[in-house]
Amino acid sequence: MGKANLNIYDKEKNTSIADEKINHTLSPSMFEYNSDLYYYMNDKNKVTLYNHTKKKSKLTLEGINEVLYTHLDGDTIYVLGKFIEDDEKGQIGKYDLIEYNLKTKAISKTIIKNDSYRYMFSDLILFNNNIILQEDITMVLFKNKKEIVYLDRVSKQTKNIIVDEYPQSISVDNENNLILVSKNSISIYDKDFKLIKHKKIDIIEKDDYGRRFNSYIVIGGK
């Protein structure tokens, strides 16, 4: 499967304190929990969650061969994994959304089939009892997508929000509202996905349509 290099830096001194070679291909996702560093080792039909600090495996995730994103919330990780089909095209056949408690070891999984290869998920956002699956904006633009997919954690069903344009940024504000910033508008939804405010804007140049905006500043009242 290949090899990887793990570089660890002292953020205060901005100097390298470790440079290790790992005899596995790693997923582009890692996190820290209780001062331990975790990452995922890829295999053909599985991914292994590995505790690098304690040098031991923590969990095997069958049915995927790469983890795209991990969100740590307390003792629970929310993992977005994908299965790349073993053919010449290397298309993504499905996504797994996994919820795993690192303390109790309770686990649940939802499989999202990627029929016709319509989804290009890249990360996830927790929003009340839902998990929003954000797509790769650079790929979405070519498909002119106008829906945001989310998983209802109660019903375990995938649903969607219809929008004018796929947003470059999806965020949650301090009042637990959902903020969508697209190339020509800003939309605010409440916790039940009811549209509160929709404002047309004209601040993004055409050449920047594929850029993702990761932050925003709210000035003034609602």
Side-chain angles (χ1 to χ4, degrees), residues 68-146:
L68 293 166
Y69 189 81
T70 305
H71 178 87
L72 176 64
D73 183 26
D75 297 319
T76 301
I77 54 172
Y78 297 85
V79 180
L80 175 62
K82 68 179 180 180
F83 179 76
I84 304 171
E85 296 177 343
D86 187 16
D87 59 22
E88 59 184 19
K89 293 183 178 180
Q91 299 275 22
I92 301 170
K94 72 179 180 77
Y95 294 89
D96 284 4
L97 193 53
I98 301 151
E99 183 176 340
Y100 178 70
N101 189 293
L102 294 159
K103 184 176 291 185
T104 67
K105 299 183 180 181
I107 187 171
S108 64
K109 179 171 73 172
T110 301
I111 297 175
I112 302 173
K113 294 182 178 179
N114 197 20
D115 298 331
S116 302
Y117 311 114
R118 60 182 298 194
Y119 299 132
M120 292 296 299
F121 299 136
S122 60
D123 54 35
L124 60 87
I125 300 169
L126 297 186
F127 182 60
N128 296 306
N129 284 323
N130 307 291
I131 300 176
I132 297 173
L133 298 166
Q134 189 166 6
E135 301 201 41
D136 185 336
I137 187 65
T138 59
M139 301 302 296
V140 167
L141 288 172
F142 293 106
K143 296 187 177 183
N144 194 29
K145 301 198 77 169
K146 296 187 177 182

Coordinates of all heavy atoms in Angstrom, one line a residue, residues 68-146:
L68 N -11.9 10.3 5.0 CA -11.8 11.6 4.5 C -11.7 12.7 5.6 O -11.0 13.6 5.5 CB -13.0 11.9 3.6 CG -13.1 11.1 2.3 CD1 -14.5 11.3 1.7 CD2 -12.0 11.6 1.3
Y69 N -12.5 12.4 6.6 CA -12.6 13.5 7.6 C -13.1 12.8 9.0 O -13.8 11.9 9.0 CB -13.7 14.5 7.2 CG -13.7 15.7 8.1 CD1 -12.8 16.8 7.9 CD2 -14.7 15.9 9.0 CE1 -12.9 17.9 8.7 CE2 -14.8 17.0 9.8 CZ -13.9 18.0 9.6 OH -13.9 19.2 10.4
T70 N -12.6 13.4 10.1 CA -13.0 13.0 11.4 C -13.3 14.2 12.2 O -12.6 15.2 12.3 CB -11.8 12.2 12.1 OG1 -11.4 11.1 11.3 CG2 -12.3 11.7 13.5
H71 N -14.5 14.2 12.9 CA -14.9 15.2 13.8 C -14.9 14.6 15.2 O -15.6 13.7 15.5 CB -16.3 15.8 13.4 CG -16.7 16.8 14.4 ND1 -16.4 18.2 14.2 CD2 -17.5 16.8 15.5 CE1 -17.0 18.9 15.2 NE2 -17.6 18.0 16.0
L72 N -14.1 15.2 16.1 CA -14.1 14.8 17.5 C -15.0 15.6 18.4 O -14.9 16.9 18.4 CB -12.7 14.8 18.0 CG -12.5 14.5 19.5 CD1 -12.8 13.0 19.8 CD2 -11.0 14.7 19.9
D73 N -16.0 15.0 19.0 CA -16.9 15.7 19.9 C -16.9 15.0 21.3 O -17.6 14.0 21.4 CB -18.3 15.7 19.3 CG -19.3 16.6 20.1 OD1 -18.9 17.5 20.8 OD2 -20.5 16.3 20.0
G74 N -16.2 15.5 22.2 CA -16.1 14.8 23.5 C -15.3 13.5 23.4 O -14.2 13.5 22.9
D75 N -16.0 12.4 23.7 CA -15.4 11.1 23.6 C -15.8 10.4 22.3 O -15.4 9.3 22.0 CB -15.8 10.2 24.8 CG -15.3 10.7 26.1 OD1 -14.2 11.2 26.2 OD2 -16.1 10.7 27.1
T76 N -16.5 11.1 21.4 CA -17.1 10.5 20.2 C -16.4 11.0 19.0 O -16.2 12.3 18.9 CB -18.6 10.7 20.2 OG1 -19.2 10.1 21.3 CG2 -19.2 10.0 18.9
I77 N -16.1 10.1 18.1 CA -15.6 10.6 16.8 C -16.7 10.3 15.7 O -17.4 9.3 15.8 CB -14.3 9.9 16.4 CG1 -14.4 8.4 16.4 CG2 -13.1 10.4 17.2 CD1 -13.1 7.7 15.9
Y78 N -16.8 11.2 14.8 CA -17.7 11.0 13.6 C -16.8 10.9 12.4 O -16.1 11.9 12.1 CB -18.7 12.2 13.5 CG -19.6 12.3 14.7 CD1 -19.2 13.0 15.9 CD2 -20.9 11.7 14.7 CE1 -20.1 13.1 17.0 CE2 -21.7 11.8 15.8 CZ -21.3 12.5 16.9 OH -22.1 12.6 18.0
V79 N -16.9 9.8 11.8 CA -15.9 9.5 10.7 C -16.6 9.4 9.4 O -17.6 8.7 9.2 CB -15.2 8.1 11.0 CG1 -14.2 7.8 9.9 CG2 -14.5 8.2 12.4
L80 N -16.1 10.1 8.4 CA -16.5 10.0 7.0 C -15.5 9.2 6.2 O -14.4 9.7 6.0 CB -16.7 11.4 6.4 CG -17.1 11.5 4.9 CD1 -18.5 10.8 4.7 CD2 -17.2 12.9 4.5
G81 N -15.9 8.0 5.8 CA -15.0 7.1 5.0 C -15.6 6.9 3.7 O -16.8 7.0 3.4
K82 N -14.7 6.5 2.8 CA -15.2 6.2 1.4 C -14.6 4.8 0.9 O -13.5 4.4 1.4 CB -14.8 7.3 0.4 CG -13.3 7.4 0.2 CD -13.0 8.5 -0.8 CE -11.5 8.7 -1.1 NZ -11.2 9.8 -2.1
F83 N -15.3 4.2 0.0 CA -14.8 3.0 -0.6 C -14.5 3.3 -2.1 O -15.4 3.6 -2.9 CB -15.8 1.8 -0.5 CG -15.3 0.6 -1.1 CD1 -14.3 -0.2 -0.5 CD2 -15.7 0.2 -2.4 CE1 -13.8 -1.4 -1.1 CE2 -15.3 -1.0 -3.0 CZ -14.3 -1.8 -2.3
I84 N -13.2 3.2 -2.5 CA -12.8 3.4 -3.8 C -12.8 2.1 -4.6 O -12.2 1.1 -4.1 CB -11.4 4.1 -3.9 CG1 -11.3 5.3 -3.1 CG2 -11.0 4.3 -5.4 CD1 -10.0 5.9 -2.9
E85 N -13.6 2.0 -5.6 CA -13.8 0.7 -6.3 C -12.4 0.3 -7.0 O -11.7 1.2 -7.5 CB -14.9 0.9 -7.4 CG -16.2 1.1 -6.7 CD -17.3 1.3 -7.8 OE1 -17.0 1.6 -8.9 OE2 -18.5 1.2 -7.4
D86 N -12.2 -1.0 -7.0 CA -11.0 -1.5 -7.6 C -11.1 -1.7 -9.1 O -11.2 -2.9 -9.5 CB -10.6 -2.8 -6.8 CG -9.2 -3.3 -7.2 OD1 -8.5 -2.6 -7.8 OD2 -9.0 -4.5 -7.0
D87 N -11.1 -0.7 -9.8 CA -11.2 -0.7 -11.3 C -10.3 0.4 -11.8 O -9.7 1.2 -11.1 CB -12.6 -0.7 -11.8 CG -13.4 0.6 -11.4 OD1 -12.7 1.6 -11.1 OD2 -14.6 0.5 -11.4
E88 N -10.3 0.5 -13.1 CA -9.4 1.5 -13.8 C -9.9 2.9 -13.5 O -9.1 3.8 -13.6 CB -9.4 1.2 -15.3 CG -10.7 1.2 -16.0 CD -10.6 0.8 -17.5 OE1 -9.6 0.2 -17.8 OE2 -11.5 1.2 -18.2
K89 N -11.2 3.1 -13.3 CA -11.7 4.4 -13.1 C -11.5 4.9 -11.6 O -11.3 6.1 -11.4 CB -13.2 4.5 -13.4 CG -13.5 4.3 -14.9 CD -15.0 4.5 -15.2 CE -15.2 4.3 -16.7 NZ -16.7 4.5 -17.0
G90 N -11.5 4.0 -10.7 CA -11.3 4.3 -9.3 C -12.4 5.2 -8.7 O -12.1 6.1 -7.9
Q91 N -13.6 4.9 -9.1 CA -14.7 5.7 -8.6 C -15.1 5.4 -7.2 O -14.8 4.3 -6.7 CB -16.0 5.5 -9.5 CG -15.8 5.9 -11.0 CD -16.1 7.3 -11.2 OE1 -16.0 8.2 -10.3 NE2 -16.4 7.7 -12.5
I92 N -15.8 6.3 -6.5 CA -16.2 6.1 -5.1 C -17.6 5.4 -5.1 O -18.6 6.0 -5.5 CB -16.3 7.4 -4.3 CG1 -14.9 8.1 -4.4 CG2 -16.7 7.2 -2.9 CD1 -14.9 9.5 -3.8
G93 N -17.6 4.2 -4.7 CA -18.9 3.4 -4.8 C -19.8 3.7 -3.6 O -21.0 3.6 -3.8
K94 N -19.3 4.1 -2.5 CA -20.1 4.4 -1.3 C -19.4 5.1 -0.3 O -18.1 5.2 -0.3 CB -20.7 3.1 -0.7 CG -19.6 2.3 0.1 CD -20.3 1.0 0.7 CE -19.3 0.2 1.5 NZ -18.9 0.8 2.8
Y95 N -20.1 5.7 0.7 CA -19.5 6.4 1.8 C -20.1 5.7 3.1 O -21.3 5.3 3.1 CB -19.9 7.9 1.8 CG -19.3 8.7 0.7 CD1 -20.0 8.8 -0.5 CD2 -18.1 9.3 0.8 CE1 -19.4 9.6 -1.6 CE2 -17.5 10.1 -0.2 CZ -18.2 10.2 -1.4 OH -17.7 10.9 -2.4
D96 N -19.3 5.6 4.1 CA -19.7 5.2 5.4 C -19.6 6.4 6.4 O -18.6 7.1 6.4 CB -18.9 4.0 5.9 CG -19.2 2.7 5.3 OD1 -20.1 2.7 4.3 OD2 -18.6 1.7 5.6
L97 N -20.7 6.6 7.1 CA -20.7 7.6 8.2 C -20.7 6.8 9.5 O -21.7 6.2 9.8 CB -21.9 8.5 8.0 CG -21.9 9.8 8.9 CD1 -20.6 10.6 8.6 CD2 -23.1 10.6 8.5
I98 N -19.6 6.9 10.3 CA -19.4 6.1 11.5 C -19.4 6.9 12.7 O -18.7 8.0 12.7 CB -18.1 5.2 11.3 CG1 -18.2 4.4 10.1 CG2 -17.9 4.4 12.6 CD1 -16.9 4.0 9.5
E99 N -20.1 6.5 13.7 CA -20.1 7.2 15.0 C -19.5 6.2 16.0 O -20.0 5.1 16.2 CB -21.5 7.6 15.4 CG -21.6 8.4 16.7 CD -23.0 8.8 17.0 OE1 -23.8 8.9 16.1 OE2 -23.3 9.1 18.2
Y100 N -18.4 6.6 16.7 CA -17.7 5.7 17.6 C -17.3 6.4 18.8 O -16.7 7.5 18.8 CB -16.4 5.1 16.9 CG -15.6 4.2 17.7 CD1 -16.1 2.9 18.1 CD2 -14.4 4.6 18.2 CE1 -15.3 2.1 18.9 CE2 -13.6 3.7 19.0 CZ -14.1 2.5 19.3 OH -13.3 1.6 20.1
N101 N -17.6 5.8 20.0 CA -17.3 6.4 21.3 C -16.0 5.7 21.7 O -15.9 4.5 21.9 CB -18.4 6.1 22.3 CG -18.1 6.9 23.6 OD1 -17.2 6.6 24.3 ND2 -19.0 7.8 23.9
L102 N -14.9 6.6 21.8 CA -13.6 6.0 22.2 C -13.5 5.5 23.6 O -12.6 4.7 23.9 CB -12.6 7.2 22.0 CG -12.4 7.7 20.6 CD1 -11.8 9.1 20.6 CD2 -11.5 6.7 19.8
K103 N -14.4 5.9 24.5 CA -14.4 5.4 25.8 C -15.3 4.1 26.0 O -14.8 3.2 26.6 CB -14.9 6.5 26.8 CG -14.9 6.1 28.3 CD -15.3 7.3 29.1 CE -14.3 8.4 29.1 NZ -14.7 9.5 30.1
T104 N -16.5 4.2 25.5 CA -17.4 3.0 25.7 C -17.3 2.0 24.6 O -17.8 0.9 24.7 CB -18.9 3.5 25.8 OG1 -19.3 4.0 24.5 CG2 -19.0 4.5 26.9
K105 N -16.7 2.4 23.5 CA -16.5 1.6 22.3 C -17.9 1.3 21.5 O -17.9 0.4 20.7 CB -15.8 0.2 22.6 CG -14.4 0.4 23.2 CD -13.7 -0.9 23.4 CE -12.3 -0.7 24.0 NZ -11.6 -2.0 24.2
A106 N -18.9 2.0 21.9 CA -20.2 1.9 21.2 C -20.0 2.5 19.7 O -19.3 3.5 19.5 CB -21.2 2.7 21.9
I107 N -20.6 1.8 18.8 CA -20.3 2.1 17.4 C -21.6 2.0 16.6 O -22.4 1.1 16.9 CB -19.2 1.3 16.7 CG1 -18.9 1.8 15.3 CG2 -19.6 -0.2 16.7 CD1 -17.6 1.2 14.8
S108 N -21.8 2.9 15.6 CA -22.9 2.8 14.7 C -22.5 3.2 13.3 O -21.5 4.0 13.2 CB -24.2 3.6 15.1 OG -23.8 5.0 15.2
K109 N -23.1 2.7 12.3 CA -22.7 3.0 10.9 C -23.8 3.2 10.0 O -24.8 2.5 10.0 CB -21.7 1.9 10.4 CG -21.2 2.2 9.0 CD -20.2 1.2 8.6 CE -20.7 -0.2 8.3 NZ -19.7 -1.1 7.8
T110 N -23.8 4.2 9.2 CA -24.7 4.5 8.1 C -24.0 4.4 6.8 O -23.0 5.1 6.6 CB -25.4 5.8 8.3 OG1 -26.1 5.9 9.6 CG2 -26.5 6.0 7.2
I111 N -24.5 3.6 5.9 CA -24.0 3.5 4.5 C -24.7 4.4 3.6 O -26.0 4.3 3.5 CB -24.0 2.0 4.0 CG1 -23.1 1.2 5.0 CG2 -23.5 1.9 2.6 CD1 -23.2 -0.3 4.6
I112 N -24.0 5.2 2.8 CA -24.6 6.0 1.8 C -24.1 5.6 0.4 O -22.9 5.8 0.1 CB -24.2 7.5 2.0 CG1 -24.7 7.9 3.4 CG2 -24.9 8.4 1.0 CD1 -24.2 9.3 3.8
K113 N -25.0 4.9 -0.3 CA -24.5 4.4 -1.6 C -24.4 5.6 -2.6 O -25.2 6.5 -2.6 CB -25.6 3.5 -2.2 CG -25.7 2.2 -1.4 CD -26.7 1.2 -2.0 CE -26.8 -0.1 -1.2 NZ -27.8 -1.0 -1.8
N114 N -23.3 5.5 -3.4 CA -23.0 6.6 -4.3 C -23.4 6.2 -5.7 O -22.6 6.1 -6.7 CB -21.5 6.9 -4.3 CG -21.2 8.3 -4.9 OD1 -22.1 9.1 -5.0 ND2 -20.0 8.5 -5.3
D115 N -24.8 6.0 -5.9 CA -25.3 5.6 -7.2 C -25.0 6.7 -8.2 O -25.2 7.9 -8.0 CB -26.8 5.4 -7.1 CG -27.1 4.2 -6.2 OD1 -26.3 3.3 -6.0 OD2 -28.2 4.3 -5.5
S116 N -24.6 6.2 -9.4 CA -24.2 7.1 -10.5 C -23.1 8.1 -10.1 O -22.9 9.1 -10.8 CB -25.5 7.9 -11.0 OG -26.5 7.1 -11.4
Y117 N -22.4 7.8 -9.0 CA -21.3 8.6 -8.6 C -21.7 10.1 -8.4 O -20.9 11.0 -8.9 CB -20.1 8.4 -9.5 CG -19.8 7.0 -9.8 CD1 -19.9 6.4 -11.0 CD2 -19.4 6.1 -8.7 CE1 -19.7 5.1 -11.3 CE2 -19.1 4.8 -9.0 CZ -19.3 4.3 -10.2 OH -19.0 3.0 -10.5
R118 N -22.8 10.3 -7.8 CA -23.4 11.7 -7.8 C -22.7 12.5 -6.6 O -22.8 13.7 -6.7 CB -24.9 11.7 -7.6 CG -25.3 10.9 -6.4 CD -26.9 10.9 -6.3 NE -27.4 12.2 -6.2 CZ -28.7 12.4 -5.8 NH1 -29.5 11.4 -5.5 NH2 -29.2 13.6 -5.7
Y119 N -22.2 11.8 -5.6 CA -21.7 12.6 -4.4 C -20.2 12.7 -4.5 O -19.5 11.8 -4.9 CB -22.1 11.9 -3.1 CG -23.6 11.8 -2.9 CD1 -24.2 10.6 -2.5 CD2 -24.4 12.9 -3.1 CE1 -25.5 10.5 -2.3 CE2 -25.8 12.8 -2.9 CZ -26.3 11.6 -2.5 OH -27.7 11.5 -2.3
M120 N -19.7 13.8 -4.0 CA -18.2 14.1 -3.8 C -18.0 14.6 -2.4 O -17.5 15.8 -2.3 CB -17.7 15.0 -4.9 CG -17.8 14.4 -6.3 SD -16.7 13.0 -6.5 CE -15.1 13.7 -6.2
F121 N -18.4 13.9 -1.4 CA -18.2 14.4 0.0 C -16.8 14.6 0.4 O -15.9 13.8 0.0 CB -18.9 13.4 1.0 CG -20.4 13.2 0.8 CD1 -20.9 12.0 0.8 CD2 -21.2 14.3 0.5 CE1 -22.3 11.8 0.6 CE2 -22.6 14.2 0.3 CZ -23.1 12.9 0.3
S122 N -16.5 15.6 1.2 CA -15.2 15.8 1.6 C -15.0 16.0 3.2 O -14.0 15.7 3.7 CB -14.6 17.1 1.0 OG -15.4 18.2 1.3
D123 N -16.1 16.5 3.8 CA -16.1 16.6 5.3 C -17.5 16.7 5.8 O -18.5 16.6 5.0 CB -15.2 17.8 5.7 CG -15.7 19.1 5.1 OD1 -16.9 19.3 4.9 OD2 -14.8 20.0 4.9
L124 N -17.6 16.8 7.1 CA -18.9 16.8 7.8 C -19.0 17.9 8.8 O -18.0 18.3 9.4 CB -19.3 15.4 8.4 CG -18.3 14.8 9.5 CD1 -18.8 15.3 10.8 CD2 -18.3 13.3 9.4
I125 N -20.3 18.3 9.1 CA -20.5 19.3 10.1 C -21.7 18.8 11.0 O -22.7 18.4 10.5 CB -20.9 20.6 9.4 CG1 -19.8 21.1 8.6 CG2 -21.3 21.7 10.5 CD1 -20.1 22.3 7.7
L126 N -21.5 18.8 12.3 CA -22.6 18.5 13.2 C -23.5 19.7 13.3 O -23.1 20.8 13.6 CB -22.1 18.1 14.6 CG -21.2 16.8 14.7 CD1 -20.9 16.5 16.1 CD2 -21.8 15.6 14.0
F127 N -24.8 19.4 13.2 CA -25.8 20.5 13.3 C -27.1 19.9 14.0 O -27.9 19.2 13.3 CB -26.1 21.0 11.9 CG -27.1 22.2 11.9 CD1 -26.8 23.3 12.6 CD2 -28.3 22.1 11.2 CE1 -27.7 24.4 12.7 CE2 -29.2 23.2 11.3 CZ -28.9 24.3 12.0
N128 N -27.2 20.1 15.3 CA -28.3 19.6 16.1 C -28.3 18.0 16.0 O -27.3 17.4 16.2 CB -29.6 20.2 15.7 CG -29.6 21.7 16.0 OD1 -29.4 22.1 17.1 ND2 -29.9 22.5 14.9
N129 N -29.4 17.4 15.5 CA -29.5 16.0 15.4 C -29.2 15.6 14.0 O -29.7 14.5 13.5 CB -30.9 15.5 15.8 CG -31.0 15.4 17.3 OD1 -30.1 15.1 18.0 ND2 -32.2 15.8 17.8
N130 N -28.4 16.4 13.3 CA -28.1 16.1 11.9 C -26.6 16.2 11.6 O -25.9 16.8 12.4 CB -28.8 17.1 10.9 CG -30.3 17.2 11.2 OD1 -31.1 16.2 10.9 ND2 -30.8 18.3 11.8
I131 N -26.2 15.5 10.6 CA -24.8 15.6 10.1 C -24.8 16.0 8.7 O -25.3 15.3 7.8 CB -24.1 14.2 10.3 CG1 -24.1 13.7 11.7 CG2 -22.7 14.3 9.8 CD1 -23.5 12.4 11.9
I132 N -24.3 17.2 8.5 CA -24.3 17.8 7.1 C -23.0 17.2 6.4 O -21.9 17.3 7.0 CB -24.3 19.3 7.1 CG1 -25.6 19.8 7.7 CG2 -24.1 19.9 5.7 CD1 -25.6 21.3 8.0
L133 N -23.2 16.7 5.2 CA -22.1 16.2 4.4 C -21.7 17.2 3.4 O -22.4 17.3 2.4 CB -22.5 14.8 3.8 CG -22.9 13.8 4.9 CD1 -23.6 12.6 4.2 CD2 -21.6 13.3 5.6
Q134 N -20.6 17.8 3.6 CA -20.2 18.9 2.7 C -19.4 18.3 1.5 O -18.6 17.4 1.7 CB -19.4 19.9 3.4 CG -19.1 21.2 2.5 CD -18.5 22.3 3.4 OE1 -18.3 22.2 4.6 NE2 -18.3 23.5 2.8
E135 N -19.7 18.7 0.3 CA -19.0 18.2 -0.9 C -17.9 19.1 -1.3 O -17.7 20.2 -0.9 CB -20.0 18.1 -2.0 CG -21.2 17.2 -1.6 CD -22.0 16.6 -2.8 OE1 -21.3 16.2 -3.8 OE2 -23.2 16.6 -2.8
D136 N -17.0 18.5 -2.0 CA -15.8 19.2 -2.6 C -16.3 20.2 -3.5 O -16.8 19.9 -4.6 CB -14.9 18.2 -3.2 CG -13.6 18.8 -3.7 OD1 -13.5 20.0 -3.9 OD2 -12.6 18.0 -3.8
I137 N -16.1 21.5 -3.2 CA -16.6 22.6 -4.0 C -16.0 22.6 -5.4 O -16.7 23.0 -6.4 CB -16.4 23.9 -3.3 CG1 -17.1 25.1 -4.0 CG2 -15.0 24.3 -3.1 CD1 -18.6 25.0 -4.0
T138 N -14.8 22.2 -5.5 CA -14.1 22.2 -6.8 C -14.8 21.2 -7.8 O -14.8 21.4 -9.0 CB -12.6 21.9 -6.7 OG1 -12.4 20.7 -6.1 CG2 -11.9 23.0 -5.9
M139 N -15.3 20.1 -7.2 CA -16.0 19.1 -8.1 C -17.5 19.4 -8.3 O -18.0 19.1 -9.3 CB -15.8 17.7 -7.4 CG -14.4 17.3 -7.2 SD -13.5 17.2 -8.7 CE -14.3 15.9 -9.6
V140 N -18.1 20.0 -7.3 CA -19.5 20.3 -7.3 C -19.8 21.3 -8.4 O -20.8 21.2 -9.1 CB -20.0 20.9 -6.0 CG1 -21.4 21.5 -6.1 CG2 -20.1 19.8 -4.9
L141 N -18.9 22.2 -8.7 CA -19.1 23.3 -9.7 C -19.4 22.7 -11.1 O -20.2 23.2 -11.8 CB -18.0 24.2 -9.7 CG -17.8 25.2 -8.5 CD1 -16.5 25.9 -8.5 CD2 -19.0 26.2 -8.5
F142 N -18.7 21.6 -11.4 CA -18.8 21.0 -12.7 C -20.2 20.4 -12.9 O -20.6 20.1 -14.0 CB -17.7 20.0 -13.0 CG -16.4 20.7 -13.0 CD1 -15.4 20.6 -12.0 CD2 -16.0 21.4 -14.2 CE1 -14.2 21.2 -12.1 CE2 -14.7 22.0 -14.2 CZ -13.9 21.9 -13.2
K143 N -20.8 20.0 -11.8 CA -22.1 19.3 -11.8 C -23.3 20.2 -11.6 O -24.5 19.8 -11.6 CB -22.1 18.2 -10.8 CG -21.1 17.1 -11.1 CD -21.2 15.9 -10.2 CE -20.2 14.8 -10.6 NZ -20.4 13.6 -9.7
N144 N -23.0 21.5 -11.3 CA -24.1 22.5 -11.1 C -25.1 22.0 -10.0 O -26.3 22.1 -10.2 CB -24.9 22.8 -12.4 CG -25.7 24.0 -12.3 OD1 -25.4 24.9 -11.5 ND2 -26.8 24.0 -13.0
K145 N -24.6 21.5 -8.9 CA -25.4 21.0 -7.9 C -26.1 22.1 -7.1 O -25.5 23.1 -6.8 CB -24.6 20.1 -6.9 CG -23.9 18.9 -7.6 CD -23.4 17.9 -6.6 CE -24.6 17.1 -6.2 NZ -24.2 15.9 -5.4
K146 N -27.3 21.8 -6.7 CA -28.1 22.8 -5.9 C -28.8 22.1 -4.7 O -29.9 22.5 -4.4 CB -29.1 23.4 -6.9 CG -28.5 24.3 -8.0 CD -29.5 25.1 -8.8 CE -28.7 25.9 -9.8 NZ -29.7 26.8 -10.6

